Structure formats: C-alpha cells, structure tokens
Amino acid sequence: MIGDMLSKGEHDIVLLQEVWSEKDHLSLKKKLACSHPHSHYFKSGVIGSGLAIFSKHRILDTFLYRYSLNGYPYMAHHGDWFGGKAVGMAVLSIGSLTANVYVTHLHAEYCREKDSYLPHRVVQAWELQQFVRHTSAGADVVILGGDLNMHPQDLGNRLLRSYTGLRDSYLETAKFDGCEDGMTLIADNPFTCKKELVPFEKGIRIDYILFKGSSKTDIFCDSMSTTKGCVPDHPFPYSDHEALTSELRLESHTPPEVGKDEQSKDQDSAGKVAELVDIVTEARTEVKVGLHCAERKRCTAARTGVMGLALLFLELAIATVSWLALGAEQPFPRTSFYLLAALCFAILLTTSLLYIFYTMELKSLQGAEDQMRLAVGSLQEKLRGFPLAQPHNVQRKPPVGDPEE
Amino acid sequence: MIGDMLSKGEHDIVLLQEVWSEKDHLSLKKKLACSHPHSHYFKSGVIGSGLAIFSKHRILDTFLYRYSLNGYPYMAHHGDWFGGKAVGMAVLSIGSLTANVYVTHLHAEYCREKDSYLPHRVVQAWELQQFVRHTSAGADVVILGGDLNMHPQDLGNRLLRSYTGLRDSYLETAKFDGCEDGMTLIADNPFTCKKELVPFEKGIRIDYILFKGSSKTDIFCDSMSTTKGCVPDHPFPYSDHEALTSELRLESHTPPEVGKDEQSKDQDSAGKVAELVDIVTEARTEVKVGLHCAERKRCTAARTGVMGLALLFLELAIATVSWLALGAEQPFPRTSFYLLAALCFAILLTTSLLYIFYTMELKSLQGAEDQMRLAVGSLQEKLRGFPLAQPHNVQRKPPVGDPEE
C-alpha cells in the first residue's frame, strides 16, 4: 500500500522505520525502482533495525549507530530489544549539496504513568543527538525523520532539538494539512491500542521530521501534511502511525564574512546554553533513576543466584551426610532429588545471564551519565565565556606529545 | 608504574586501552590530577571498554561507538566480548584549535594461521574508519591512538588508513627511538605468549598513533619513541605492550583559495580511489567468509535444537504409549527419565540463545557488507568523474519532499 503511494514519485526522500524483513525491503525496492533508484536498508539486532531509506538522489555513504540501551530481551512481547533500535545515516548528493539524512526509531512507550523504559529512551535520545551533532559538521543540510516515541515536549525531544539545533517541521511549516495537532498516532487507527493512549484520547504526535541548514545553505519548510486514517478506497490505514510529508526548500547562500566559530558563538546565546544545561541536568537525573533501578535488579539477580547455589549445596550436603551415615540409602526420593538439582541449575544459569545483562546495562547508563556530566561542565564553561572567548591569534602551537600504552 | 611515568607531565595527551576497572582509572586520575587535569574513562560491555584519555587540554565533548561485532560470549577465556571493544572520541580544545582524539582497542588475534576472528576485526576496522571519517569533518586535527591488533599491512589497517587519510606516526616521524621496526608486542616481554608470535619471533607492531591535519592546520611528527622492555630499575615492563610516544607539531595556515571540495578532489587522485576500491572489495570478501561461517554455525545451532526437541518428544511419546499400554508402569527408570528431560531442556535453551546470537552476528555482517557494496559503488562512480565533477554553479535547489511513515 505504502509502496503504491510512494511509487507516484512525489517524494525526493522516503524514510521508513518498520520494514521488519529483508523481503519487505526487496519488494518495496522493486516497486520504487523507477521513482527512487537509490535505497538502503539498515540491518541490526535480531529482526531489525526496520530502518530504510529510498531516494531520488544518489546515496554516497551510509553509517549505522546502534543504541547501547534498548529494553530487555526477556520482554519478548514488547519486542524492542529484538528490533535492535538504531539511527541510520545516509549521505546524499543533492546537486552540488551534501545532505546528511538520518532515520531512527526509539524504544516504544507502553505505559506513560509507569514508564520503565524512560531511562533507556533518554539515553537513546542522548546518543542520537551526539551522533547527529558529531557526524553532521561536513553537511550542507541535515534532515532527521523518525518515530521518536516521545511527545513534543518530552525530555528526550527537548534534549535532541536543543543540542543539535534541529527544527521541527510541524512547528516551522508555512502550511499544514493533516490530523489535528499533527498527531501521528491517532485513536481512530485500528492497529492502535486505545488503552495505551490514555489520557490523550485523540492521539499523540510522536513522529517527526526535523531539519537544519548550515553556513552554506538555508532550509525552509513550505508545507507539511499527514495521512488521515484510511487509504483512499480501502477500509484500513497504511500503518499503525500516520505518514508525514514535509516539503523542504533549500537555498544556497555564500557564508557571511565572519568565521564559522564566531557565527556559531553568536547563535549559542547564553540563554540557549543555560537552557541546555538544565535539560542535560534533567536527563542526568533520569539516567540516575535508571542506574538505581538497574543496580537493584542486578542485586536481585545476584541474590537469587546465591540462593540457588546454597540450595544446591544444601541438597548435596544432606544427600552426602545421609549416604555416609545410613549407608547407600537415599534420604530423598530420587525424582525429587534430580528435579531439585535441575531447578538449582536453571536458577544459576538464568541469574548468571541476567547478572551479565544488567552489568552491561549499568555500564551503558554510567557511561551516558559520565558523558552528560562532562557535557554540563563544558556548557557551564562556555556560559562563563571561557575558553571559547580566547583570542584567535594563536597561529603556531607548541608540540603536542601523545603517548599511548 | 605507568602513572609514575606519565605524572612527569611530558605528554599532552595520554591514550590508554587496558584500564579494566573503575578503581584503576580513579587511582590514575588521582596520580595525574596535577599533570593532566582533564580525563575521561569510556564504559562499555561487562568489564570495559578499558579506554581512557588523560589530557592537559580541556575535553569539550566525548562520544563512544561500540563495535557491532566483537567475538563470542562463550569464548570467555579470550574475554574480548566481555571487554565491549569500542572507539572513544574526545573533542579537545588546544588553544584556538579543535582536535578530535580517538582511542580504540580492536579484537585480539589469537592464531594468525586460523584466525576465526578476522571477519569481526575487519568489520571493526570498517566501523572505525566510518566513525573517524564521519565525526572528524569539523576538526582541525585528528589523532587516533590504539591497540589495533593488526600488522602494519593487514587488510583492516590499509582500510583504515586509505579511507580516512590518517598517516602513521612511525612511517612519518623525523626521528625514531625504540624497539626494532617499531614493534610494540615484543618477544622479550614476560606477559607475552611466545607461541602466539610465531612466525614473527622478534615481535610485531600492532599499536599505532595515526594523525591528520585539515585545510586549516598542518600536522607533522617530529619524533617518536617506544619503551624498550623493562621499567628503569625494575625487573618488569609497564605492560604487555610497549608504550608509544609521538611528538606532533601543529601549524595553523590559512586555507588555500580553492574551496574545500576542490582541494579534497585533488587529493583523491584516481589512483588512490582505485586502490580504495580494491581494499574495500577485499574487505567484502573477508566479510562474506564470515557470513558463511556464521550461517553454518547458526544452522548447526538450529539443527541441534531440533534434535533436542525431537528427543524430548520421543521420550514423552515412549513414556505415554507405555503408560497407556501397560498401565501405571514406567518403561524408563525414573532417574534416567528426568535426567534425559533435563538434558533436552538444556540443549533447547542453549541452542535458542546461540541461534539468537548468531542471527545478530549475521545481521551485523550483512549490514557491513551492504555498506561496503554501496561504498564501492560510490567510489567507482567517483572514479568515473561523476557526479563530483558536476558544475558548482547550482545556486538554488528545487524543493525536497520528505515523507515518512
């Protein structure tokens, strides 16, 4: 269905987030061969990543960043872990311009009141902004499209937009035609679980097209639209989310006389940096909550494992003592003895695997928290006007030593 | 020991790869607090990542990329999987310049003749060059230090150097003082397994400091040295590898009149691009070998799992039939019955976990292969002088549509 819509060739770039099989990608590729000759499907996780890009413009290069945290493998009914959530980047050549196009899908929110995945989603948003910021320096235009699974004012969303300077198509567009408030997960959709939407009965906006230009190129959103429920002449919609379309206009311009540094410094007004410090601090708090939670879970796994081991030893001790004292007679019925031993081994194996998994979760959370702390320090330093306000007349640097063990 | 050497403060930037505990990092941090006030320890995996950076210059920002492939968890005696191998980036402010400093540690090579980890290491080298290339566009200077676990002319090394344009300190240095041929893993080292070095009896060079400048900055290696075995006045060396030190000189210069694009185009002479096509094609072949191997292993896991399941059903069927035919009598001795059932469950659980793991390995290998295929296509396109040779006078672009599902 989506293939039919897209094959009309009205869109330069198409970003998809839920192509869950190689077969689906190949059939889409075949259908869009004429309208979108260039495509890439990003592979990750067990069944994913689900991310695909189709383009009229040549794809020069691709790169995939897998999020370090992405739910739990034993939450198989949620399935996010198996999807291997990630952010894919494609470097496109649009005429003489280089566009970095990002497509991503963040961990779903299953219960807003008690969202146990919030720390994971915040770390994903953190890594997403890092990835976009660090990989887009050479690009003339940056476009990010994705199912962020976050409301417009959610922490992760603010973090992403503030840090990268990406602007939201829906807020920037000159014209809009689509669902109320730009919603993409609407209650009318038959694939949507209405219970999960409460208290947002009408729906929520969780899919986004963000963009920014560069010193060489301006970018504007002339119009934006969403699909509105069912496919024309069919009783069902394209997908569980409404599809977004943005019409973006690029304008090349010569960079202003001032250097890039000065220009970006002007843009980074103290107010913006101060706001960013607040947002990163808020994110750190959320990650710390996740840290406590992961530590508690790891501790439970360790304790259960020790109990399983103790049970095994106890059983063996009783059996040995009775065997020594009473001769060859078994104090346990044989069946119970073996079943109990098997249970102990099962507990030991499961808790060991969980312990390893939670340790990795902890490392990733700690790593993100460390990076956030460093970032807050840098931002505060910037806020003090130091060291970015240093004179730019240092032409020759002293030697830099660089030992390595 | 290494702390004592470094605390003299002769080095601007220190990159370490085997700091395996938070405690070691904190004790180093304390020791180097005066000489290197800025530091960052990258956390990853179960016990790693081991990567740390100490610097005299302010660290503005950090970012970690975990390699998608990194050995197997059941090869616990090799330990690489538990180390969570990755590449860490730190953005340093050196005077008015921005330096991107990378530190990494690739999967070890345990047997050169039959190196089952080669596809993983090649994919790591591929991801490393992608990471460096895409994140360093805004940097004035790029420095990479690490234990690459590859000989100088190994595929991964050529891939990294050719694609990123990074230059090898050892080959570029004006002066060198250290082990013969710049070796860093020497036979004399008491921590080294001499058997693993055969047929390189004297040792090998597997640790590197690579660097490159930018259109704004030139970089030169004035001198380089390695430690030579034991710590002065001690009977043991600093580590299992010799430490490298490079003295790098930075020189700012105004960018030439031609644009950055033109300049890089000149550098990318057809010969270099053709060489790169060959190297990436070679890497693709290696990844394909890994793909076949992973497919075979996954197939074996699946087959073993099915056999375990069949055995379980067979056992249950025999027990049920005998129970129905002979009344309450058990055809098996009870003990054997339960032991066999437990064995079947153990087989099923293990093969399921292995199947999931190998599927993820396959996805990562396929993903890397897809990216390499796309890269070869782009490079060949470039070789044909198209589309990079397009005129640069396109000032206004047509609108770009960007739908997303």
Side-chain angles (χ1 to χ4, degrees):
Chain A
M1 269 302 142
I2 194 90
D4 293 333
M5 180 179 96
L6 298 171
S7 63
K8 291 175 197 156
E10 289 162 358
H11 310 101
D12 280 43
I13 304 163
V14 178
L15 305 174
L16 301 172
Q17 290 88 40
E18 299 219 15
V19 184
W20 291 122
S21 80
E22 185 69 12
K23 225 181 90 193
D24 289 351
H25 170 244
L26 289 177
S27 87
L28 265 174
K29 197 173 168 176
K30 217 169 142 187
K31 220 168 208 166
L32 304 183
C34 294
S35 59
H36 299 83
H38 309 287
S39 78
H40 191 78
Y41 178 57
F42 294 97
K43 285 172 188 148
S44 163
V46 185
I47 52 162
S49 65
L51 307 173
I53 173 168
F54 291 88
S55 164
K56 289 189 175 183
H57 307 278
R58 176 165 287 281
I59 299 176
L60 299 176
D61 213 344
T62 54
F63 189 26
L64 185 70
Y65 182 91
R66 293 160 183 86
Y67 297 123
S68 66
L69 291 169
N70 184 33
Y72 305 96
Y74 53 78
M75 299 300 269
H77 58 296
H78 284 168
D80 293 73
W81 186 85
F82 291 86
K85 299 290 175 75
V87 46
M89 176 180 93
V91 181
L92 263 58
S93 154
I94 307 183
S96 64
L97 297 177
T98 302
N100 275 21
V101 178
Y102 300 86
V103 53
T104 191
H105 191 177
L106 265 51
H107 197 293
E109 183 185 80
Y110 295 96
C111 169
R112 196 162 174 84
E113 273 74 57
K114 219 185 145 189
D115 183 12
S116 54
Y117 298 115
L118 184 57
H120 284 210
R121 206 177 310 102
V122 169
V123 171
Q124 289 185 344
W126 172 256
E127 291 175 348
L128 175 58
Q129 68 77 14
Q130 284 187 311
F131 186 70
V132 171
R133 219 155 34 86
H134 290 300
T135 57
S136 61
D140 299 312
V141 182
V142 177
I143 299 169
L144 185 152
D147 175 358
L148 300 185
N149 274 312
M150 299 186 288
H151 294 224
Q153 282 311 310
D154 277 1
L155 172 59
N157 228 329
R158 284 181 284 134
L159 187 66
L160 173 65
R161 287 201 316 262
S162 297
Y163 228 137
T164 58
L166 284 166
R167 291 176 289 145
D168 188 343
S169 280
Y170 177 71
L171 301 177
E172 301 275 332
T173 185
K175 271 195 305 201
F176 177 76
D177 173 38
C179 299
E180 199 185 330
D181 298 330
M183 285 168 193
T184 55
L185 186 64
I186 59 173
D188 287 345
N189 193 301
F191 305 124
T192 305
C193 171
K194 268 146 211 77
K195 234 171 58 190
E196 280 176 15
L197 282 176
V198 174
F200 305 95
E201 273 76 17
K202 281 188 177 169
I204 41 179
R205 186 160 80 91
I206 59 173
D207 299 271
Y208 301 84
I209 297 174
L210 310 174
F211 61 84
K212 69 171 176 182
S214 65
S215 59
K216 268 176 73 186
T217 312
D218 279 336
I219 182 165
F220 305 94
C221 184
D222 284 346
S223 77
M224 188 185 187
S225 63
T226 73
T227 53
K228 294 177 225 171
C230 294
V231 180
D233 308 325
H234 287 85
F236 52 83
Y238 290 107
S239 164
D240 60 335
H241 290 207
E242 299 307 315
L244 300 179
T245 304
S246 283
E247 201 176 338
L248 303 173
R249 179 166 42 88
L250 309 183
E251 274 185 27
S252 295
H253 65 79
T254 36
E257 278 306 296
V258 287
K260 211 172 164 186
D261 282 347
E262 271 80 1
Q263 195 204 16
S264 66
K265 223 197 300 179
D266 292 344
Q267 286 171 351
D268 294 335
S269 62
K272 272 189 187 167
V273 176
E275 188 196 343
L276 197 47
V277 169
D278 288 344
I279 296 173
V280 179
T281 307
E282 198 181 334
R284 260 187 87 185
T285 312
E286 206 49 69
V287 171
K288 275 183 192 159
V289 172
L291 264 171
H292 283 293
C293 190
E295 248 159 26
R296 213 175 45 232
K297 281 194 267 189
R298 187 172 76 158
C299 192
T300 306
R303 224 180 288 139
T304 314
V306 169
M307 269 159 55
L309 198 67
L311 192 64
L312 188 67
F313 277 127
L314 190 69
E315 190 193 8
L316 291 177
I318 294 176
T320 314
V321 167
S322 339
W323 180 68
L324 288 175
L326 311 171
E329 225 172 292
Q330 259 279 34
F332 293 100
R334 231 153 225 263
T335 314
S336 319
F337 182 81
Y338 285 112
L339 279 182
L340 194 61
L343 179 73
C344 291
F345 275 115
I347 291 176
L348 275 177
L349 184 71
T350 314
T351 51
S352 304
L353 291 177
L354 283 176
Y355 188 86
I356 291 175
F357 184 85
Y358 289 134
T359 305
M360 287 166 72
E361 187 188 5
L362 269 174
K363 285 266 171 192
S364 291
L365 285 165
Q366 284 167 350
E369 210 252 300
D370 289 347
Q371 291 178 349
M372 287 174 185
R373 193 179 50 230
L374 190 136
V376 168
S378 274
L379 290 169
Q380 282 170 338
E381 207 52 59
K382 204 173 177 179
L383 214 54
R384 279 184 223 117
F386 174 85
L388 277 186
Q390 273 185 352
H392 277 243
N393 52 6
V394 188
Q395 283 302 311
R396 196 175 167 107
K397 301 303 314 156
V400 179
D402 183 16
E404 171 207 337
E405 185 202 10
Chain B
M1 269 300 143
I2 195 88
D4 293 333
M5 180 179 95
L6 298 172
S7 62
K8 290 175 197 156
E10 288 162 358
H11 309 102
D12 280 44
I13 304 164
V14 179
L15 306 174
L16 302 173
Q17 290 87 42
E18 299 219 17
V19 184
W20 290 123
S21 80
E22 185 70 14
K23 225 181 91 194
D24 288 350
H25 170 244
L26 288 177
S27 88
L28 265 174
K29 197 172 169 176
K30 215 170 143 188
K31 220 167 208 169
L32 304 182
C34 294
S35 60
H36 299 83
H38 309 287
S39 79
H40 190 78
Y41 178 57
F42 295 97
K43 284 171 189 149
S44 162
V46 185
I47 53 163
S49 64
L51 306 172
I53 172 167
F54 291 88
S55 164
K56 287 188 176 181
H57 307 279
R58 175 165 289 280
I59 299 176
L60 299 177
D61 213 343
T62 54
F63 189 27
L64 184 71
Y65 181 90
R66 293 161 182 87
Y67 297 123
S68 66
L69 291 169
N70 184 33
Y72 305 96
Y74 53 79
M75 299 299 269
H77 57 297
H78 284 167
D80 293 74
W81 186 85
F82 291 86
K85 300 290 176 74
V87 45
M89 176 179 93
V91 181
L92 263 58
S93 154
I94 307 183
S96 63
L97 298 177
T98 302
N100 275 21
V101 178
Y102 300 86
V103 54
T104 191
H105 191 177
L106 266 51
H107 197 293
E109 183 184 81
Y110 295 96
C111 169
R112 195 162 175 85
E113 273 75 56
K114 221 186 145 189
D115 182 12
S116 54
Y117 299 115
L118 183 58
H120 283 210
R121 205 177 310 102
V122 169
V123 171
Q124 289 185 344
W126 173 257
E127 291 176 348
L128 175 58
Q129 67 79 12
Q130 284 187 312
F131 186 70
V132 171
R133 221 155 31 87
H134 291 299
T135 57
S136 61
D140 299 312
V141 183
V142 177
I143 299 169
L144 186 152
D147 175 357
L148 301 186
N149 273 313
M150 299 186 288
H151 295 223
Q153 281 311 310
D154 276 2
L155 172 59
N157 228 330
R158 284 181 283 133
L159 187 66
L160 172 66
R161 287 202 314 262
S162 297
Y163 229 138
T164 58
L166 285 166
R167 290 176 290 145
D168 187 342
S169 280
Y170 177 71
L171 302 176
E172 302 273 333
T173 184
K175 271 193 306 196
F176 177 76
D177 173 39
C179 298
E180 199 185 330
D181 299 329
M183 284 168 194
T184 55
L185 185 65
I186 59 173
D188 287 346
N189 192 301
F191 305 124
T192 305
C193 171
K194 268 146 212 78
K195 235 172 57 192
E196 280 175 16
L197 282 176
V198 173
F200 305 94
E201 273 76 18
K202 281 187 178 169
I204 41 178
R205 185 159 80 90
I206 58 173
D207 298 271
Y208 301 84
I209 297 174
L210 310 174
F211 60 83
K212 68 171 177 183
S214 65
S215 61
K216 269 175 70 186
T217 312
D218 279 335
I219 180 165
F220 306 94
C221 183
D222 284 345
S223 76
M224 187 184 186
S225 63
T226 74
T227 53
K228 294 178 227 172
C230 294
V231 181
D233 307 325
H234 288 86
F236 52 83
Y238 291 108
S239 165
D240 58 336
H241 291 208
E242 299 306 315
L244 300 178
T245 305
S246 282
E247 200 176 338
L248 303 174
R249 178 166 42 87
L250 310 182
E251 273 184 27
S252 296
H253 64 77
T254 37
E257 277 306 295
V258 288
K260 214 176 168 187
D261 284 346
E262 271 81 359
Q263 196 203 13
S264 66
K265 222 198 298 178
D266 291 344
Q267 287 171 351
D268 294 335
S269 63
K272 271 189 188 168
V273 177
E275 189 197 342
L276 198 46
V277 169
D278 289 344
I279 296 173
V280 179
T281 307
E282 199 181 332
R284 260 188 86 186
T285 312
E286 206 48 70
V287 171
K288 275 182 192 161
V289 172
L291 263 171
H292 282 292
C293 189
E295 248 159 27
R296 213 174 46 233
K297 280 194 267 187
R298 187 173 75 159
C299 192
T300 306
R303 224 180 289 140
T304 314
V306 169
M307 270 160 53
L309 198 65
L311 192 64
L312 189 66
F313 278 127
L314 189 71
E315 191 194 6
L316 290 177
I318 294 177
T320 315
V321 168
S322 338
W323 180 69
L324 287 175
L326 311 169
E329 224 172 290
Q330 259 277 31
F332 291 98
R334 231 155 226 264
T335 314
S336 319
F337 182 82
Y338 286 111
L339 278 183
L340 195 61
L343 179 72
C344 291
F345 276 115
I347 290 176
L348 275 177
L349 184 71
T350 314
T351 51
S352 304
L353 292 178
L354 283 177
Y355 189 86
I356 291 176
F357 184 84
Y358 289 134
T359 304
M360 289 167 72
E361 186 188 6
L362 269 174
K363 285 267 169 192
S364 291
L365 285 165
Q366 284 167 351
E369 211 253 301
D370 289 348
Q371 291 178 350
M372 287 175 185
R373 194 179 50 230
L374 191 137
V376 167
S378 275
L379 289 169
Q380 282 172 337
E381 208 49 62
K382 202 174 180 179
L383 214 54
R384 279 184 221 117
F386 173 86
L388 276 186
Q390 274 185 350
H392 277 244
N393 51 6
V394 190
Q395 283 301 311
R396 194 176 169 108
K397 301 303 315 153
V400 179
D402 184 17
E404 172 205 338
E405 184 203 11

